[in-house]
Amino acid sequence: MENLVNDGRFTALLDAAVDGIFVIDSRGIVQVANKAVEQLLGYSQDELIGQNIKLVMPSPYRENHDAYISEYLHTGKKKIIGIGREVQAQHKNGDIIDIFLSVGTFGSAETIRFVGIVRDLRDLKRREAELATAQHEIHNLVNRLAHASRVGVMGEMAASIAHEVNQPLTAISNYAQAGTRLLNADSDQTEEVLSALSKISNQAIRAGEIIRGLRSWVRDQDDDREPCNCNALITEVVEIAKMEAQNHDVLLQLSLDPELPAVIGDPVQIQQVALNLIKNAIDAMSEGERSSKNWSVFISTERQGKERIKVTISDHGPGVGDDVADKLFQPFFTTKKAGMGMGLSICRTIIRSHGGELDFTNNAEGGASFYFILPTAVEQL
Ligand code: ADP
């Protein structure tokens, strides 16, 4: 060992290394420390040589180190040797530093030495933290965008929603008038009055359901990932979309795969994408010449192996022209008079943030099919 330490070529080699390098004996006493150690831990090479390596270890490594060495010497069981591990070191000024420590051994049982190579992880950790913050900010931005877009879609559908809510309200008013007339009549009409009251109650429940269904849409909520059954989500969203479809005289047809596996996602955001695509399909069909047959939007769910599901919204509109095909997903691209052009770009962002893909194809028989593919819960386990 001494020969090596005194060999200028050996020390030059050690000092050229960017990582810190130590050699300690079986009691933990430092025999060799290179220049990089000085940079990393603040101690000069002379301050370290002859000291126990515990000097640069914070708790609990400091208290446990003797036991680690003697356990290895007795059992030969390797906990860190040859594997390496992320641990912490303590700088001379007291700072705790994240490091990656690789350990090797050389020498015979009596003269065993441990070599430690210490990599500074501070830059890496800093970059990881910056990345996590940036990802968190992007995540929040996507949520805020998604929320703004949901409110926007609701605004665009306001006329249809008002019409839908108006129906039970009109019915309630009619039944109430009928009830008043019955009560004013001479003969006993208790049965009929009770029936009118029950209808009023049912219609009030219906109006409440419509409003409740919409409320979760406009609520600003965090991205809440959970296992979702897309069939149930699509069925619910079709109830909302029906209001808009009826207003444009369009039928919505559903075909749901009964064996559809669950996906992990935010249910409101997945519904938002489906509603946006259905609304675009209705818009597309309201634009063109109306053909007498097949005036419906076809919505389907299907399995794609065990790992993917696909939701397709197919229409009988004009389809997507070659001139606009590569612009559709760009923010603010719209061909509609009152369009914002944000829908598809936000939908694609939402689906990609769920690990999926959103795209379209033109149908051979006319119209377009927009679809999104999502990984199933199985895929993400
Ligand atoms: P907006 O609906 O506000 O225009 P989108 O991003 O949802 O914003 O859509 C962008 C454009 O994509 C639409 O203006 C339309 O030209 C086209 N588009 C979307 N869906 C369809 C569809 N089903 N068929 C044909 N074109 C479509």
Side-chain angles (χ1 to χ4, degrees):
M1 193 72 213
E2 278 64 34
N3 288 346
L4 271 180
V5 173
N6 294 329
D7 183 337
R9 287 171 302 174
F10 176 67
T11 48
L13 196 66
L14 288 184
D15 288 344
V18 180
D19 290 337
I21 301 175
F22 289 106
V23 177
I24 61 171
D25 66 13
S26 58
R27 295 164 302 147
I29 304 299
V30 178
Q31 307 213 308
V32 176
N34 71 345
K35 273 236 171 67
V37 166
E38 206 170 310
Q39 275 268 308
L40 184 66
L41 300 171
Y43 293 98
S44 68
Q45 288 165 291
D46 289 344
E47 279 176 302
L48 282 172
I49 292 170
Q51 296 294 322
N52 194 299
I53 191 71
K54 286 190 284 188
L55 181 68
V56 298
M57 292 181 174
S59 277
Y61 307 105
R62 175 177 298 174
E63 292 77 18
N64 297 336
H65 193 246
D66 289 340
Y68 282 149
I69 296 185
S70 66
E71 192 188 331
Y72 172 69
L73 294 177
H74 282 99
T75 64
K77 247 195 238 153
K78 295 176 177 173
K79 284 198 175 146
I80 186 168
I81 295 168
I83 308 163
R85 191 182 298 164
E86 232 183 278
V87 290
Q88 290 177 319
Q90 189 158 19
H91 192 276
K92 189 176 178 183
N93 66 12
D95 284 355
I96 304 294
I97 301 168
D98 290 309
I99 55 164
F100 190 88
L101 177 65
S102 330
V103 180
T105 58
F106 66 92
S108 64
E110 294 75 40
T111 61
I112 188 158
R113 297 285 185 273
F114 298 90
V115 187
I117 300 182
V118 180
R119 175 153 297 178
D120 187 353
L121 294 183
R122 280 176 297 183
D123 266 355
L124 186 75
K125 293 275 174 188
R126 202 173 305 126
R127 277 203 296 273
E128 274 175 7
E130 281 168 7
L131 191 67
T133 311
Q135 275 171 341
H136 185 69
E137 276 166 15
I138 290 173
H139 186 82
N140 284 344
L141 209 60
V142 169
N143 281 348
R144 291 220 301 275
L145 255 179
H147 175 249
S149 164
R150 273 203 302 279
V151 176
V153 171
M154 282 298 137
E156 286 171 27
M157 287 175 42
S160 314
I161 295 167
H163 176 74
E164 190 74 9
V165 179
N166 217 17
Q167 281 180 339
L169 293 182
T170 309
I172 288 171
S173 158
N174 290 342
Y175 289 127
Q177 282 168 18
T180 313
R181 268 199 312 276
L182 290 165
L183 285 173
N184 282 333
D186 293 338
S187 53
D188 179 11
Q189 307 270 12
T190 311
E191 282 292 307
E192 286 79 354
V193 173
L194 284 175
S195 151
L197 284 176
S198 139
K199 284 175 179 147
I200 287 175
S201 161
N202 288 342
Q203 292 296 328
I205 291 170
R206 165 89 190 112
E209 273 168 2
I210 298 171
I211 290 164
R212 229 185 343 272
L214 298 175
R215 235 183 8 205
S216 67
W217 277 82
V218 277
R219 217 177 37 219
D220 191 2
Q221 57 170 27
D222 267 355
D223 174 341
D224 261 338
R225 306 259 161 138
E226 55 188 67
C228 304
N229 173 347
C230 275
N231 283 346
L233 295 184
I234 299 290
T235 309
E236 253 177 52
V237 103
V238 163
E239 280 306 306
I240 298 179
K242 255 188 198 160
M243 305 181 212
E244 183 76 355
Q246 276 161 8
N247 221 14
H248 290 85
D249 243 350
V250 171
L251 261 182
L252 299 184
Q253 288 191 320
L254 259 180
S255 160
L256 303 176
D257 181 340
E259 313 243 323
L260 200 70
V263 299
I264 304 279
D266 178 321
V268 175
Q269 288 189 358
I270 295 174
Q271 286 189 317
Q272 162 174 8
V273 172
L275 181 65
N276 229 311
L277 298 184
I278 298 172
K279 191 175 170 302
N280 275 352
I282 296 170
D283 287 348
M285 283 168 58
S286 311
E287 267 173 27
E289 278 293 297
R290 180 172 193 136
S291 68
S292 53
K293 60 181 171 103
N294 283 339
W295 203 241
S296 51
V297 172
F298 190 75
I299 303 146
S300 68
T301 61
E302 63 188 296
R303 263 163 305 166
Q304 297 216 309
K306 272 200 185 122
E307 277 129 37
R308 301 259 183 285
I309 67 147
K310 184 177 183 186
V311 178
T312 309
I313 287 98
S314 205
D315 63 55
H316 292 91
V320 177
D322 289 344
D323 48 334
V324 296
D326 53 353
K327 300 193 198 115
L328 289 196
F329 294 97
Q330 287 172 10
F332 302 113
F333 175 80
T334 183
T335 55
K336 299 173 195 170
K337 268 195 216 103
M340 267 272 282
M342 287 302 289
L344 285 178
S345 102
I346 292 174
C347 287
R348 187 176 253 184
T349 305
I350 291 176
I351 293 298
R352 285 186 174 166
S353 82
H354 281 75
E357 194 44 270
L358 187 152
D359 216 331
F360 75 93
T361 52
N362 278 322
N363 306 327
E365 66 281 9
S369 290
F370 280 77
Y371 60 85
F372 56 90
I373 293 172
L374 285 172
T376 63
V378 174
E379 155 88 333
Q380 298 186 3
L381 285 179

